[in-house]
Amino acid sequence: MQNGVVAIPADIREFEGYVWQAAPEQYVQAAIRGSGVQPLIVPALEVGFDADQVLDRVDGLLISGSRTNVHPSHYGIKATEGHGPFDPARDATSMAMIRRAIERGLPLLAICRGIQELNVALGGTLANEIQELPGRSDHRKPEVPDRDEAFAVRHPIAVQPGGCLAAILEDEKPMVNSLHRQGISDLAPRLTVEALAEDETIEAVSVIDAPGFALGVQWHPEYWVGTDPTSDKIFQAFGAAVRRWRLEARPMQAAE
Ligand SMILES: N[C@@H](CCC(=O)NCCCC(=O)O)C(=O)O
C-alpha cells in the first residue's frame, strides 16, 4: 500500500573494522508500525549532500536519536572533549534536510538528538551536561543492562495547552522516558515550546507557521510504539501528515 516514504538520516558507526551508515531499528519499526509508512535510510555525508535530491523523493522526514552530539561549532561554541562524541557527517546531512523540509512544508518528526538538531538548524543553542545545571534533574540514560528498563518512562511532562502537541495527545501530563545529557538552551526564533519537564527542560517544540507537521520531542516515543498511547498518537499523527503530503502537496510541488 502506497502510504508514503520517510527519510531517516543514518549515523556514522565503526565496528568490525569498517565504517557503517547505520540507523537504530526502533525508528525503522516505529515508522512502519506506528505511522504506516516506508522508511528509507539516508547516508550521512559530510560533504556533497544534496538535500533536495532526497526530499524530492520522500513524503516525510524522521530524525532519530543518537549518542553523539551536534558539534558546538554549529551554535558558536568552541568544542571541548566534553561536548563529544561527534558525528559531523550526521550533522551535515540531518540539519540540511531539516532546513529544507521546513521550507518545503514536508512533515518532520525530530526525536532526541533530532530536536537538538532542529533547534540548532534554526539558530538556537544547546546546553551540555544539563544534569550539572542548577535546578535540573538527571535526564541521562540509566546505566542498566536491560534496554526496556533504560527506555522506561520515568518523568512527567507538562504539555502546553493550545499547542499542536496538545491537539495530538489527550493527556496533558504524559510520562516519558529520558536518555539525554544535552538540552535546548537558547530556543531558535522559529520554534515554540510544546512541552516542559518539571525542571523546565524543554521536552517538545514545534515550528511556528510551519506549512506542515513539524514537531520535535526530547524523549523517545519510537521505543514504545504499540504499547504506549502517547507514543502511538505521535506516530499516527506523523503518518497522517505524511499521507496528506503524498496525496495533496507532493503532486503540486512536482508540477512546479
Ligand atoms: N546525544 C544527545 C542526544 C541523546 C539521544 O539522542 N539519545 C538517544 C540514544 C540513547 C542511547 O542509546 O544512549 C544527548 O545526549 O543529549
Side-chain angles (χ1 to χ4, degrees):
M1 185 161 50
Q2 286 297 318
N3 271 330
V5 177
V6 167
I8 302 177
D11 288 1
I12 297 292
R13 302 304 294 267
E14 294 192 37
F15 52 89
E16 295 177 354
Y18 291 93
V19 177
W20 299 72
Q21 300 273 356
E25 167 75 351
Q26 60 205 57
Y27 300 90
V28 170
Q29 289 302 324
I32 295 167
R33 293 186 289 113
S35 300
V37 298
Q38 171 61 46
L40 183 70
I41 298 174
V42 177
L45 302 175
E46 191 169 354
V47 291
F49 178 68
D50 183 335
D52 284 315
Q53 286 264 27
V54 173
L55 299 182
D56 282 347
R57 290 162 175 81
V58 300
D59 309 292
L61 181 57
L62 173 59
I63 309 288
S64 67
S66 172
R67 293 184 187 165
T68 63
N69 296 325
V70 178
H71 197 281
S73 60
H74 289 290
Y75 49 96
I77 300 286
K78 181 171 172 42
T80 66
E81 193 176 334
H83 284 99
F86 301 123
D87 185 347
R90 160 73 190 254
D91 290 344
T93 302
S94 188
M95 291 196 282
M97 286 202 287
I98 287 171
R99 291 186 184 102
R100 284 297 293 138
I102 292 168
E103 288 164 7
R104 297 165 69 125
L106 199 72
L108 164 66
L109 176 57
I111 295 174
C112 207
R113 193 194 209 263
I115 188 178
Q116 298 169 2
E117 290 169 317
L118 172 59
N119 188 55
V120 171
L122 297 185
T125 65
L126 303 179
N128 197 27
E129 303 301 344
I130 60 171
Q131 68 279 354
E132 296 172 4
L133 300 176
R136 293 295 189 95
S137 309
D138 189 343
H139 290 256
R140 290 176 294 183
K141 178 183 181 181
E143 292 305 323
V144 292
D146 180 76
R147 192 182 310 161
D148 283 358
E149 195 179 340
F151 279 86
V153 299
R154 53 196 179 102
H155 72 76
I157 59 170
V159 179
Q160 303 304 290
C164 69
L165 185 59
I168 293 170
L169 306 178
E170 280 137 25
D171 183 349
E172 293 172 3
K173 289 201 79 171
M175 292 293 287
V176 299
N177 51 26
S178 190
L179 298 95
H180 61 105
R181 47 197 328 139
Q182 294 195 331
I184 289 175
S185 182
D186 296 324
L187 186 66
R190 272 203 74 184
L191 296 181
T192 186
V193 174
E194 294 284 346
L196 289 168
E198 288 174 333
D199 66 355
E200 298 297 304
T201 294
I202 293 174
E203 290 283 346
V205 298
S206 63
V207 178
I208 297 167
D209 297 335
F213 185 104
L215 180 70
V217 295
Q218 186 62 72
W219 72 96
H220 289 272
E222 84 288 349
Y223 193 85
W224 295 112
V225 161
T227 61
D228 167 58
T230 297
S231 304
D232 290 342
K233 289 185 176 86
I234 289 171
F235 274 85
Q236 287 161 6
F238 179 57
V242 166
R243 281 184 286 283
R244 271 196 310 277
W245 168 271
R246 182 175 185 80
L247 292 175
E248 299 166 10
R250 191 170 174 181
M252 289 191 321
Q253 284 210 350
E256 287 171 1

